[in-house]
Structures are given as structure tokens and as C-alpha cells.
Amino acid sequence: MYGCTYALVGIGFNLVFGVMNMINLAHGEVIMAGAFIALALVVYLDAPLVVAGLAAAAACALIGMIVERTCLRPVRRAHYMAPLLTTIGASIVLLEIFIKIFSTDEWLFPTPFEFSQIKVSGLTIRVSYLITLGVSLALMVALHLWITRTRSGRAVRAIAENVDAARLMGINVNRLTSVTIALASALGAIAGVLVAVSSSIVSTTMGAEMLLKGFVVIVLGGLGSIPGAALGGVLLGIVEVVTVGYLPSLYRDFFSFGLLMVVLLVRPTGLMGKRVAERA
């Protein structure tokens, strides 16, 4: 369950990097924003969880498009540090807005199945975990089909391969870039809602934590590889849960980053990353 959630975060990173060759450091705060928007709809408007999740995804897609238009597109051909600095600024703005509205306290995320469990062959499984797992897998399959089977998905892959050639072939690069970042932000928002549903807690610090996990996932799987992000996310989730199951929780990050170091030493491009030869 945790691995699939991490995979959604990593896929959002890799979508943006694959199309624009940029890292969006505001993605963590977009995840946090999605969780809080859903929380507000559930608590204050008594909206169903599905409606709240879809509304949060739509709102975060809009936030992602604003970030792309103001922080990424103007510096597309600038130094590689420029988008890092502009998206850090966007993340600070988003964080301060939600701190002003919701404070720095932890909030309880109520769900109708918070304490519901299913027992199968002696195993007790929380319903929220099954929902998180099912939604994550469904979204990953849907994204894979969109990338590989649709005309717009093939256009996105063409932009990732060569922006100038894609533009010469008549592809609207700016429009598809905005759509891709909106999609990545929507996936991040749903990941935030799923984390809130499974843990029943929402806080303004969750964005920084998910940002860090996202970096680990994309390095494990391979920068720019969507299947790699899915594999890296699941692998990271398994390592964390197994570590907590047998050792004190303090060792969780030790083994997670230890795995990251091993992968970087053995295969610097990640598990499914492509080796690129640079020639003069």
C-alpha cells in the first residue's frame, strides 16, 4: 500500500522530468494541498470521499498549471538551477498559504471505513489499505495506457524524446506540457488523499516528507522512467514496512537510504533507467 502511494508520487516527478527535463520541487506541497482540500470538503461541506478526492485532484491540476506557467515555462532554456529555485519559491508560497489557513497542527481525516477490517485466512487487513492499493494500481494502469495507446500520450513521448522535432511535427508543446504537469499534480493530490485516508492524519509537513520519498523513488527506479518509478515506489514501501516489522521505526530511513546508496553504487542510472552516452 505504501509502495503504491510512493509510486504515484514518483510517477508525478518523472512525468514532469521526462517532458521538460526539469525537477518540480513544488510537487510535495501540491500533494499536501490535495490532502487538505479533500479534508476541507469532507469536514466542512460533508462531501463524499470520492467527490472530495476528485475535487482535490482538479484543484491541484490547476495549481500545477499555474506553477508551470509562472515558474517552469519562463526558465525552460535557462540554467538547470533556475527551475529548482523558482519551484522552491512556489513550494514556500503554497506552504505558507496552507499554514495560514490550517495552522501547523495535525488534523484528523475522517472516513466512514476508518476502523473497518477484513479477515482472510487469519490475516486482518484494513479496508483503507485495500482502497489505497486498488486506486493506486488502477491509476498506474490508466496512466500507462494513456502514455502508450493514445495520440496525446504518443505526443508526450515525442516531446520527451526531442522538443524541437516534436514542435516541427506540429505538436503544441506548451499545451501538452501544461496538460502533463496538470496530470502529474492531480496524481500527487490523489496520493496525498490516499495517505490521509490510510493514516487518518493530515499535516502541513507531509509535503516535505513525500517530496523526499519521491526523490528516493525516482533515483531507485531511474530518472525519467515511469515503470521505474512504479517499481522503485513499491520496493521502497516494502523495505520500509519490513524494517518497521522487525526493527525499531528509527531504522526505517536508515535502510531506505541504504538501499538507495546500494542502487547508486551498482547501477547509477536506477533499476530501469537508460544509459546515455555523451560524445564530443
Side-chain angles (χ1 to χ4, degrees):
M1 181 275 297
Y2 280 115
C4 287
T5 306
Y6 294 156
L8 287 181
V9 177
I11 287 171
F13 270 116
N14 272 343
L15 272 176
V16 177
F17 181 83
V19 173
M20 300 189 70
N21 201 27
M22 295 177 176
I23 296 292
N24 178 15
L25 293 181
H27 194 63
E29 307 309 333
V30 171
I31 295 171
M32 178 270 297
F36 270 106
I37 292 171
L39 172 70
L41 293 174
V42 169
V43 172
Y44 296 113
L45 299 181
D46 199 23
L49 182 59
V50 174
V51 174
L54 293 175
C60 287
L62 179 61
I63 293 173
M65 294 176 71
I66 294 173
V67 170
E68 186 273 333
R69 187 66 183 88
T70 58
C71 300
L72 292 175
R73 190 183 301 182
V75 297
R76 183 160 193 161
R77 298 186 182 276
H79 190 270
Y80 73 92
M81 286 295 293
L84 298 181
L85 296 175
T86 55
T87 53
I88 285 175
S91 69
I92 292 173
V93 171
L94 284 172
L95 179 61
E96 291 299 323
I97 288 174
F98 280 87
I99 286 177
K100 286 289 186 183
I101 298 173
F102 295 99
S103 78
T104 57
D105 298 333
E106 291 185 341
W107 289 69
L108 179 66
F109 194 101
T111 58
F113 44 80
E114 184 177 354
F115 301 105
S116 301
Q117 297 178 340
I118 296 177
K119 293 186 177 182
V120 181
S121 300
L123 297 176
T124 301
I125 306 172
R126 290 178 58 184
V127 172
S128 59
Y129 287 176
L130 292 176
I131 291 174
T132 299
L133 181 65
V135 172
S136 300
L137 291 176
L139 287 175
M140 284 189 277
V141 171
L143 179 65
H144 175 73
L145 293 176
W146 178 70
I147 289 288
T148 57
R149 302 291 178 87
T150 66
R151 184 181 179 88
S152 57
R154 289 193 292 270
V156 167
R157 284 187 290 154
I159 294 172
E161 186 72 24
N162 191 310
V163 176
D164 294 327
R167 187 177 284 111
L168 290 173
M169 293 298 293
I171 296 174
N172 190 330
V173 174
N174 288 336
R175 182 178 65 83
L176 267 180
T177 299
S178 295
V179 169
T180 303
I181 293 184
L183 180 60
S185 300
L187 288 175
I190 294 175
V193 174
L194 293 177
V195 170
V197 167
S198 58
S199 65
S200 301
I201 295 294
V202 180
S203 71
T204 51
T205 60
M206 66 182 294
E209 181 180 355
M210 297 305 291
L211 180 70
L212 186 60
K213 300 296 184 184
F215 271 121
V216 175
V217 167
I218 61 176
V219 174
L220 282 177
L223 201 59
S225 171
I226 292 177
L231 176 61
V234 172
L235 184 60
L236 178 64
I238 292 173
V239 169
E240 286 192 353
V241 173
V242 171
T243 301
V244 173
Y246 290 95
L247 296 171
S249 59
L250 295 173
Y251 290 96
R252 182 183 63 178
D253 289 338
F254 172 79
F255 280 94
S256 299
F257 287 98
L259 173 65
L260 176 63
M261 293 176 64
V262 170
V263 171
L264 286 175
L265 288 173
V266 176
R267 188 175 174 83
T269 56
L271 297 174
M272 298 185 70
K274 296 180 180 179
R275 297 182 183 274
V276 179
E278 294 186 1
R279 298 180 176 88

